[in-house]
Amino acid sequence: MDIGRIQSAITSGVGVDHATTPQGPKESVASQRELIKAVKALNGTELFGYNSELTFVFDRETHRALVRVVDKRTREIILQIPDEDVLRMAKEQNLG
């Protein structure tokens, strides 16, 4: 594993809490670009396995960001944070 690639991913935006800093549309786009670059760098290290990759998605029902580790070939979700049980509880709270 190439630690240098992970360190460069960390310094390019991973771990920075952009939600707590005031941003306009330009800063938001820049933050998204930094996140995309960091995820690509992490995926390049094969930290999650040779056939797996890290992805970020937005759940429209709960309005929450999801982090997933996905099989590159089958697109099967290997790991998701938060998991389905937590999403189900969030959906129930939104309906009630």
Side-chain angles (χ1 to χ4, degrees), residues 35-94:
L35 179 61
I36 290 167
K37 285 173 52 177
V39 169
K40 284 182 179 181
L42 283 171
N43 285 337
T45 66
E46 297 179 357
L47 182 66
F48 303 101
Y50 177 72
N51 289 320
S52 301
E53 66 184 1
L54 181 68
T55 63
F56 290 83
V57 294
F58 184 76
D59 185 74
R60 290 188 173 137
E61 291 183 47
T62 61
H63 304 287
R64 295 175 188 260
L66 308 176
V67 179
R68 292 179 176 165
V69 176
V70 179
D71 185 295
K72 290 180 187 178
R73 291 174 296 158
T74 65
R75 306 310 300 166
E76 175 186 359
I77 299 169
I78 299 166
L79 173 70
Q80 176 177 296
I81 302 171
D83 67 15
E84 288 298 323
D85 292 332
V86 173
L87 286 177
R88 189 171 28 262
M89 286 188 288
K91 288 174 189 176
E92 289 171 3
Q93 285 183 340
N94 287 341

